[in-house]
């Protein structure tokens, strides 16, 4: 079974621009979660989607948004980019949203904001 | 404890040494504790999911225990090998985190021959 894929792997943007990142979950997985990692920080939770509905949202500004499609693929969008948005963005998929459901991570998208 | 905390932050051991790390998490309204291994340039890899107090899980030379009443989990590596070098992350899921996975900052392990 193919793993979680994320595109693009690397991205360079300038302040004020917007960016869209894509995540394709493992086949059959209906839940996708997004995380941000910056130097010195742990993985910070962004959002969780299940069956096209946002089930949970982390403590991030409204510039960060996401969505999930009927095929469970997910996108996240960051508008009006700031330097501090430079980070590794990881998505993870799981079968469902149960507390014990294992999340399987993709390789991440490295975003650099200049 | 409101956040997930891991200690030590980093660890350097010799090949063959056994080692352990600690993960502390909010014990109230706890649902599950997840451990991941994250090697450089790779995706985080799931190791264990534990839900019950007293749970013990084992995968090869790696094992983990869970104490939900006091809010901690230990990860043990027996006979460390260079390929064990990675960052080990724990994450808890409970109502304190809005049921999202709340990650610690990880323990970075380096095993030298």
């Amino acid at each position: 079974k193919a793993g979680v894929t994320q595109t693009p792997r690397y991205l360079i943007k300038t302040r004020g621009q917007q960016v869209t990142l894509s995540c394709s979950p493992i086949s059959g997985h209906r839940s996708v979660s997004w995380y941000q990692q910056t130097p010195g920080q742990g993985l910070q939770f962004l959002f969780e989607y299940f069956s096209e509905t946002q089930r949970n949202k982390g403590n991030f500004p409204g510039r960060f948004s996401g969505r999930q499609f009927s095929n469970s693929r997910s996108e996240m969008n960051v508008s009006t980019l700031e330097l501090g948005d430079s980070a590794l963005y990881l998505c993870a998929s799981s079968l469902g949203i149960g507390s014990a459901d294992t999340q399987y991570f993709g390789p991440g998208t490295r975003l650099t904001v200049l | 404890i409101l956040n997930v905390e891991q200690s030590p932050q980093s660890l350097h051991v010799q090949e063959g040494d056994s080692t352990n790390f600690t993960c502390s998490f909010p014990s109230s309204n706890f649902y599950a504790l997840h451990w991941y291994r994250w090697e450089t340039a790779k995706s985080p890899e799931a190791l264990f999911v534990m839900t019950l107090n007293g749970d013990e899980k084992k995968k090869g030379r790696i094992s983990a225990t869970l104490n939900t009443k006091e809010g901690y989990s230990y990860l043990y590596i027996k006979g460390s090998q260079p390929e064990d070098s990675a960052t080990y992350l724990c994450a808890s899921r409970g109502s304190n985190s809005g049921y999202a996975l709340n990650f610690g900052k990880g323990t970075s392990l380096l095993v030298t021959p």
Side-chain angles (χ1 to χ4, degrees):
Chain A
K1 224 181 220 186
V4 178
T5 58
Q6 292 186 244
T7 56
R9 293 292 310 279
Y10 302 91
L11 205 47
I12 299 176
K13 292 284 188 179
T14 55
R15 278 181 300 174
Q17 287 187 309
Q18 75 164 24
V19 67
T20 299
L21 311 181
S22 180
C23 173
S24 293
I26 292 171
S27 177
H29 284 194
R30 297 172 63 191
S31 175
V32 172
S33 297
W34 288 89
Y35 299 88
Q36 180 198 64
Q37 174 156 47
T38 51
Q41 297 295 317
L43 290 174
Q44 303 290 310
F45 171 73
L46 281 156
F47 359 79
E48 179 178 44
Y49 287 89
F50 179 76
S51 292
E52 302 178 67
T53 301
Q54 187 180 91
R55 303 300 295 252
N56 216 335
K57 188 177 192 303
N59 189 24
F60 278 82
R63 299 185 297 107
F64 290 81
S65 63
R67 59 179 176 168
Q68 186 180 33
F69 302 95
S70 59
N71 62 358
S72 295
R73 191 177 69 84
S74 177
E75 289 181 347
M76 69 163 278
N77 184 77
V78 187
S79 62
T80 319
L81 284 166
E82 300 177 359
L83 295 179
D85 297 333
S86 295
L88 179 67
Y89 291 88
L90 289 164
C91 82
S93 76
S94 58
L95 278 170
I97 52 173
S99 59
D101 280 353
T102 298
Q103 293 194 357
Y104 296 87
F105 282 84
T109 294
R110 173 76 61 184
L111 172 65
T112 302
V113 182
L114 303 176
Chain B
I1 296 175
L2 294 178
N3 293 316
V4 175
E5 296 170 3
Q6 293 187 245
S7 62
Q9 185 177 350
S10 62
L11 201 51
H12 181 186
V13 301
Q14 296 296 310
E15 182 176 356
D17 289 348
S18 291
T19 186
N20 65 86
F21 336 124
T22 304
C23 171
S24 301
F25 55 88
S27 57
S28 60
N29 300 308
F30 165 85
Y31 281 81
L33 194 284
H34 297 240
W35 279 101
Y36 287 85
R37 174 170 59 199
W38 195 359
E39 297 178 64
T40 303
K42 294 187 178 180
S43 308
E45 173 197 356
L47 288 174
F48 308 114
V49 180
M50 296 184 287
T51 58
L52 300 176
N53 185 45
D55 239 356
E56 289 189 34
K57 295 279 177 98
K58 188 174 180 182
K59 186 177 182 178
R61 295 178 292 98
I62 305 176
S63 60
T65 62
L66 180 67
N67 183 321
T68 62
K69 297 188 178 189
E70 296 181 43
Y72 65 83
S73 175
Y74 294 136
L75 187 80
Y76 302 91
I77 302 179
K78 185 178 177 182
S80 302
Q81 300 295 308
E83 58 265 30
D84 296 328
S85 298
T87 295
Y88 291 82
L89 299 170
C90 71
S92 74
R93 195 190 280 266
S95 62
N96 289 323
S97 61
Y99 306 103
L101 268 185
N102 185 15
F103 279 86
K105 293 184 180 181
T107 293
S108 177
L109 174 66
L110 176 63
V111 184
T112 50

